[in-house]
Each structure stands twice: as C-alpha cells, then as structure tokens.
Amino acid sequence: MGWLSRPATETQITHGRRLWLYAVAVLVMAFLVLPTLIVIPMSFSGSQYLEFPPREWSLRWYRSYLASPEWMQATWTSLKAGFLTMLVATPLGTLAAYGLFAARVGLGRLVFALLVTPIIVPVILVGIGVFYAYVKLKLVNTMAGIVLAHSMLAIPIVLMIVTAALKSHDMSQEMVARSLGASRPRAFLLVTLPQIRFSVATSAVLAFLTSFDEVIVALFVSGGPNSTLTRSMFNALRDQIDPTIAAISTIMIVVSSLLLAVAQTVGQPRRRRDAAQ
C-alpha cells in the first residue's frame, strides 16, 4: 500500500490521488481491446459457426485457412501490396516532411493540410473517387492500382510522424555539414536521417499496416487474382459466416502487434541514450 503514497510525477501528485485516472484508463483500454481479444478464442473453436466461448477447441479453421489456395493468394497479395506501399510511401512522405520543414515557406501549412487530406476525407469518398479515376486509367484490379491507392493513404501518416520528429531536430547540425562541403542530400543522409531513423522506421511499419489492414478502398480497386485479404474477408462475411475469418483475424492481430513491437524495440537504444544525456 506504500505505493499509493509515492509521487507519480515531479509535481508530487501521489498514485493514490490518481486512482480515478488509472480506473478510467483501464476502462478505456478494456473497451478498445476486449472486442479484439474475443476473436482469438473464437478462432480455436471446432464448431462450424462462430461461437464464444468455444465448446470444443480445435485448429480446424487454421488448417482450413492454410489449405485454401484462395486465402493464400489473397494473403500474398496483401503482403506484397503492403511491402510495396511501404517502399513508396516512406521515402515520399519523409522527403515531403523534410522539404516542408527545411523550406519554411509561408504556404507550408496549406501544403501540409493538402497532403494529409486523404486521411481527413471519409475513406468511402476516396474509394469512389479512386475507382472512377482507375476505370479511365485501367488500373482497377491491378497491383499497381492497389499500391498507389494505399500509398495515398499511407503518405499522410508518414508525413505527420516524420514532421513531428523533425521539429525536435536541430537543423544547425545539417547546416554545419553543408558548410564543410557536404551537399544537401549527403548532409540529410549522414546527419539528419540517422537522428530521425526511429520515426522513419515507425512510419514505415505503419505504412505497411495501413495497406495490410485497409478494406474500404480495396473493395473498389482490388479483385480477381489481386483481391486483398481484407476484401476477401469482407466478402466471406457478406456471403456466409465463415469461422476461418476468426483465424485470419487472429493472425493479423499477431502480425500487427509483432511489427509494432519491433518498431518500438528499434527505438529503445535511442531513447535510452537521450535519457542518459
């Protein structure tokens, strides 16, 4: 009980006086996480239908997923689209953030607002607009079309994360490198990029997950042999309640969690050095 009387912050507010805040935080976390966690035991059910709690435990639906050529094809499409989206969105978003930060032009805020528009506008409107554009460009149901559409959604995320990192970066270090003869690209690669690498790595992971988890735009622009995993899951739920979806959802939860954990781990050494200083 001595923990309750200990200060929680530098302002000497004790943990006991913050119990109400901890309780609210636990309730919010439970509200957000429990619906997701319920899917996990459902995926190990041996029943033909989705049920919670399972009456019998089985790996039946995991075997069904791994043995299905259609699910495997959709999984490969999503993984490939996510990887390509990461390769496109991460450098473009990083360069856009660096350009706006270094230029410090008067219209910078307006340009920034325009670049993040895809995640402000309702995604259904983005999907409709992209679909009509793709019909004319003949990009519907193509991998290039999926990657371009998902990159449009991922670039704003990269832009915001890298911009936040650059705001805590001292540009005078890069200016010193340039005064010693380094070109701007070389100074960026050798001075600035190493200091914001954690933010770039985090934004790359989030760019991949943005594509991997996206479903609304995929409903409009993917299909046939290039149908994404989320689109196939949506169609399976619409046509019939297939418990295989619970197994796939569990795998997606694990993959997303592992990627975020890796991104956090990459940044641990940097944060420890900063704390030591």
Side-chain angles (χ1 to χ4, degrees):
M1 297 299 292
W3 172 79
L4 295 175
S5 60
R6 295 175 186 172
T9 65
E10 295 179 356
T11 59
Q12 301 302 312
I13 297 177
T14 63
H15 290 288
R17 296 180 62 183
R18 278 196 165 187
L19 280 178
W20 68 271
L21 183 60
Y22 299 152
V24 172
V26 169
L27 290 175
V28 171
M29 289 294 295
F31 177 77
L32 294 175
V33 175
L34 285 180
T36 302
L37 296 181
I38 288 175
V39 175
I40 297 176
M42 291 174 63
S43 69
F44 292 98
S45 172
S47 172
Q48 187 176 354
Y49 306 99
L50 290 173
E51 62 178 16
F52 181 83
R55 285 176 290 182
E56 59 176 312
W57 300 90
S58 172
L59 295 175
R60 170 184 179 183
W61 302 114
Y62 287 92
R63 289 193 293 266
S64 175
Y65 164 64
L66 295 173
S68 171
E70 292 80 10
W71 285 120
M72 288 294 98
Q73 176 64 34
T75 302
W76 170 243
T77 298
S78 287
L79 290 173
K80 183 164 61 173
F83 181 72
L84 293 175
T85 298
M86 180 181 68
L87 293 182
V88 172
T90 305
L92 290 180
T94 300
L95 291 176
Y98 174 75
L100 291 175
F101 181 79
R104 300 183 184 276
V105 294
L107 297 177
R109 292 185 178 180
L110 177 60
V111 175
F112 183 88
L114 291 175
L115 290 176
V116 300
T117 298
I119 62 173
I120 298 175
V121 176
V123 182
I124 185 68
L125 298 181
V126 175
I128 294 172
V130 169
F131 173 74
Y132 280 107
Y134 277 13
V135 168
K136 296 182 179 180
L137 297 174
K138 297 182 179 181
L139 288 175
V140 178
N141 299 342
T142 64
M143 179 57 65
I146 297 172
V147 172
L148 289 175
H150 286 177
S151 296
M152 179 179 59
L153 299 176
I155 286 176
I157 297 175
V158 178
L159 177 65
M160 290 188 292
I161 294 175
V162 176
T163 297
L166 288 171
K167 287 182 178 179
S168 61
H169 170 64
D170 186 4
M171 287 293 291
S172 61
Q173 300 178 42
E174 183 178 316
M175 293 175 64
V176 170
R178 292 171 58 194
S179 69
L180 294 175
S183 63
R184 181 181 284 273
R186 185 177 178 82
F188 171 76
L189 291 174
L190 297 180
V191 178
T192 303
L193 185 58
Q195 298 189 53
I196 63 171
R197 65 184 183 278
F198 170 58
S199 297
V200 174
T202 301
S203 61
V205 172
L206 292 179
F208 174 86
L209 292 177
T210 297
S211 172
F212 190 67
D213 295 336
E214 202 283 323
V215 59
I216 297 178
V217 174
L219 288 173
F220 288 93
V221 302
S222 69
N226 287 317
S227 179
T228 64
L229 183 60
T230 51
R231 186 184 192 276
S232 299
M233 292 172 66
F234 181 87
N235 290 336
L237 280 174
R238 182 190 61 187
D239 299 335
Q240 60 180 348
I241 301 178
D242 187 356
T244 307
I245 296 173
I248 300 172
S249 300
T250 301
I251 294 174
M252 294 180 70
I253 292 170
V254 172
V255 170
S256 300
S257 301
L258 288 177
L259 287 176
L260 291 175
V262 168
Q264 293 296 318
T265 303
V266 170
Q268 284 296 329
R270 171 73 183 278
R271 287 200 295 270
R272 287 172 184 164
R273 287 197 301 269
D274 293 343
Q277 295 174 358

